[in-house]
Amino acid sequence: MVNGKILVEKLIKYAQTFLHLKERDAIYFKNLLLREFKLPAPYGEKLDLTEIENLTVPDTLVKEIEDYALENNLADEFSLNRYSTYVLGLLSPLPSKVNEEFNRLRDEFGAEKACEYLYDLSVKNNYVQKTAISKNLKWEYKDGDKYLEITVNLSKPEKSNKEIAKLLSEKKSAEKYPACLLCKENEGFEGTLSQPARENIRTISLKMGGQDWFFQYSPYAYYNEHVIAINTEHTPMCVDKNTVDKLLDFVDYLPNYMIGSNASLPIVGGSILNHEHYQGGEHLMPMHNAPVLTNLKSNEYKDVKVGIVDWYNSVIRLQSKNRSQIRDLAGDIVEGWKVFDCPECFIYSNTNGTPHNASSPIARKRGDEYVIDIILRNNVATEEYPEGLFHAHPEYHNIKREGIGLIEAMGLFILPGRLKEQLKTIAEILCKEKEFDKKELSNAENPLSIHFDMINSLVGEGYSADFDSAYARVVDRVNTTCKNILFNTSVFKKDSVGNTGFLKFLESVKIYKA
């Protein structure tokens, strides 16, 4: 049994140490917790709370809050996470105070110090789930002078069958509030079975392109200090020349972070297209470290260096200290791509008015130089490839079927959590720890059936001497699959037809070989 009075003392000490709770406010918040926990008075003896001061994450306190809530009927098994989120949100500084402190730190000490403050607060109040994130499988695939980063995402919790049944029985509100997971109104929202609690989220307001935006950290970070910049208005994704201005405003405000926009069309545009947002963070993606393969020039924008990036898909890189020139040239490329056709490469800008061409611009700063990478995308579907010609082809769907959005296009693959056990089991088959039963594996009820062709191919190459060597072979197959998926997404293939098509597009926006 959790002693509620001692838990209150621990929480107050934790908030004073990590959540910026001032001594003057300690009694006030202690009384709020006593009421919340239905306790008549605080703990009356002195406690050694040194262990609290040494915590790096609040996991042990979260467990105690949830255990106490369950023991005292303050929450049921379906709402425990929402309850602990509420308590830690209650003890966190108000959004206005967080914004004041963030901007003070940024003005006095620079963007890195301000981001360090917000990120640490987001970890300490359990908004960024650092322990859950650390469980993700991660590795790097070296491919000559390029590389990919691959992660099997285990941090986003999956709903149990009981939760799903409870969700189905829950009465649906006629009014959807907040309108989506990205809306500003999530700040302080109590959550539901289908929508996470957000009492502990803290966001920072900023202006981008003359509009009101805000940014927050991703709770299930796919990379270090993963941020999401979000339009305050619930408005659909739109990538145009104004997008470039917004991205440049962001990197001027936080030059320590890169920021990029998903394409604004289904298949190529990520999972949320109904609310304009960008993704960025401290991490440089594999694509950012890829060199320029072909140098180009613009006669109109002489201050901008232009090049085709040596990358798996089709990327143009712009570099300049002249913000207005790089903005205008990037805008010309974004707008020019929307209407470009190249039948030789099966690139069609639209079908009966339905657009297919879209781009993903990504901005960052190196000192006083702006760098913009523009990934060209197309979502045309064919009879052979109904899910998209420039999408992951069917033979790779066992590894990744979901849309290949901004993050994957830049070389960081987020693979489904199911792969953790599936890859292990495939390795066990390869080293004969488990039987290779073709009939059983071809049964659609078997979770490994989606991997049948891959397993058959690996076994055909021969069995492995032990589990470690078998697992290495399985991982290597995943690596080459991810690389091939990026090749699938390339609108201009790495051959003479593709190279000619790429130059044809560049000439259409008045960019020529240097």
Side-chain angles (χ1 to χ4, degrees), residues 187-206:
E187 196 166 48
F189 183 60
E190 69 170 330
T192 65
L193 277 173
S194 59
Q195 198 153 327
R198 287 290 181 256
E199 286 104 339
N200 58 348
I201 193 175
R202 295 297 182 266
T203 70
I204 301 298
S205 301
L206 72 161

Side-chain angles (χ1 to χ4, degrees), residues 12-29:
I12 293 298
K13 184 65 176 178
Y14 183 83
Q16 288 178 309
T17 308
F18 299 112
L19 304 181
H20 311 283
L21 178 65
K22 291 181 169 33
E23 180 65 35
R24 178 66 183 81
D25 297 324
I27 292 173
Y28 176 81
F29 278 93

Side-chain angles (χ1 to χ4, degrees), residues 136-137 139 150-156 158 222 396-402 404 408 413-423 450-451 478 482 485:
N136 292 343
L137 302 183
W139 67 88
I150 298 170
T151 176
V152 175
N153 182 33
L154 305 170
S155 62
K156 198 167 185 178
E158 295 183 31
Y222 298 138
Y396 306 129
H397 286 180
N398 62 310
I399 301 300
K400 179 79 175 178
R401 185 171 188 165
E402 300 86 355
I404 306 303
E408 276 99 0
F413 271 81
I414 302 134
L415 302 180
R418 62 177 168 81
L419 286 175
K420 180 184 179 183
E421 290 304 318
Q422 290 175 355
L423 299 183
I450 59 170
H451 298 292
V478 172
C482 291
I485 287 172

Side-chain angles (χ1 to χ4, degrees), residues 2-273:
V2 176
N3 186 316
K5 292 184 176 183
I6 292 178
L7 177 57
V8 168
E9 300 300 321
K10 287 180 178 180
L11 287 168
I12 293 298
K13 184 65 176 178
Y14 183 83
Q16 288 178 309
T17 308
F18 299 112
L19 304 181
H20 311 283
L21 178 65
K22 291 181 169 33
E23 180 65 35
R24 178 66 183 81
D25 297 324
I27 292 173
Y28 176 81
F29 278 93
K30 183 181 290 188
N31 283 324
L32 291 183
L33 287 178
L34 290 173
R35 178 187 175 183
E36 184 60 40
F37 291 170
K38 302 195 182 313
L39 296 167
Y43 191 73
E45 298 174 34
K46 196 165 180 64
L47 286 168
D48 180 4
L49 298 174
T50 308
E51 61 173 308
I52 300 300
E53 295 174 343
N54 295 327
L55 292 176
T56 55
V57 290
D59 298 18
T60 56
L61 285 176
V62 168
K63 187 176 187 312
E64 284 193 48
I65 293 167
E66 294 181 356
D67 287 348
Y68 180 82
L70 202 56
E71 291 164 5
N72 292 276
N73 298 315
L74 300 176
D76 60 24
E77 60 180 309
F78 303 109
S79 59
L80 286 176
N81 178 257
R82 279 182 276 157
Y83 189 79
S84 60
T85 298
Y86 167 72
V87 171
L88 286 171
L90 177 71
L91 294 171
S92 300
L94 287 171
S96 60
K97 295 297 182 186
V98 172
N99 274 257
E100 286 173 15
E101 182 64 6
F102 183 92
N103 286 307
R104 183 189 71 80
L105 290 169
R106 178 182 166 275
D107 292 344
E108 290 185 25
F109 304 105
E112 284 187 33
K113 197 72 177 172
C115 291
E116 183 184 303
Y117 156 75
L118 182 65
Y119 184 73
D120 183 66
L121 175 64
S122 301
V123 169
K124 292 301 198 303
N125 75 1
N126 208 40
Y127 173 67
V128 172
Q129 312 254 323
K130 203 164 186 181
T131 301
I133 292 163
S134 68
K135 294 175 183 175
N136 292 343
L137 302 183
K138 291 183 180 180
W139 67 88
E140 195 173 281
Y141 165 51
K142 289 280 187 186
D143 180 36
D145 59 351
K146 294 191 282 292
Y147 68 98
L148 297 177
E149 293 173 338
I150 298 170
T151 176
V152 175
N153 182 33
L154 305 170
S155 62
K156 198 167 185 178
E158 295 183 31
K159 286 185 167 51
S160 68
N161 290 334
K162 287 174 78 175
E163 284 177 299
I164 293 167
K166 174 83 171 174
L167 182 58
L168 289 172
S169 68
E170 205 179 47
K171 286 186 179 178
K172 299 289 186 293
S173 169
E175 183 183 2
K176 178 77 168 71
Y177 177 84
C180 79
L181 290 171
L182 296 182
C183 283
K184 181 73 174 174
E185 288 76 24
N186 282 283
E187 196 166 48
F189 183 60
E190 69 170 330
T192 65
L193 277 173
S194 59
Q195 198 153 327
R198 287 290 181 256
E199 286 104 339
N200 58 348
I201 193 175
R202 295 297 182 266
T203 70
I204 301 298
S205 301
L206 72 161
K207 290 280 188 183
M208 292 168 60
Q211 297 175 330
D212 289 328
W213 282 61
F214 63 95
F215 84 86
Q216 63 189 52
Y217 288 106
S218 167
Y220 309 112
Y222 298 138
Y223 49 86
N224 195 35
E225 295 183 35
H226 179 179
V227 300
I228 309 170
I230 304 168
N231 193 327
T232 302
E233 296 295 321
H234 182 76
T235 186
M237 287 291 294
C238 173
V239 178
D240 55 23
K241 61 184 179 182
N242 295 320
T243 301
V244 179
D245 233 8
K246 295 169 190 173
L247 297 176
L248 293 175
D249 281 348
F250 184 91
V251 297
D252 277 341
Y253 185 71
L254 296 179
N256 52 319
Y257 284 169
M258 64 88 183
I259 190 78
S261 173
N262 259 306
S264 54
L265 296 178
I267 297 176
V268 297
S271 59
I272 300 179
L273 295 178

Side-chain angles (χ1 to χ4, degrees), residues 418 422 443-451:
R418 62 177 168 81
Q422 290 175 355
N443 180 354
E445 298 295 314
N446 189 326
L448 287 185
S449 63
I450 59 170
H451 298 292

Side-chain angles (χ1 to χ4, degrees), residues 263-268 337-341 346-359 376-382 388 390 491:
S264 54
L265 296 178
I267 297 176
V268 297
W337 176 244
K338 289 179 182 179
V339 296
F340 179 76
D341 293 289
F346 214 86
I347 295 169
Y348 297 96
S349 60
N350 72 88
T351 302
N352 300 322
T354 300
H356 296 308
N357 284 356
S359 58
L376 305 177
R377 307 296 302 272
N378 178 286
N379 75 349
V380 70
T382 66
F390 302 107
V491 292

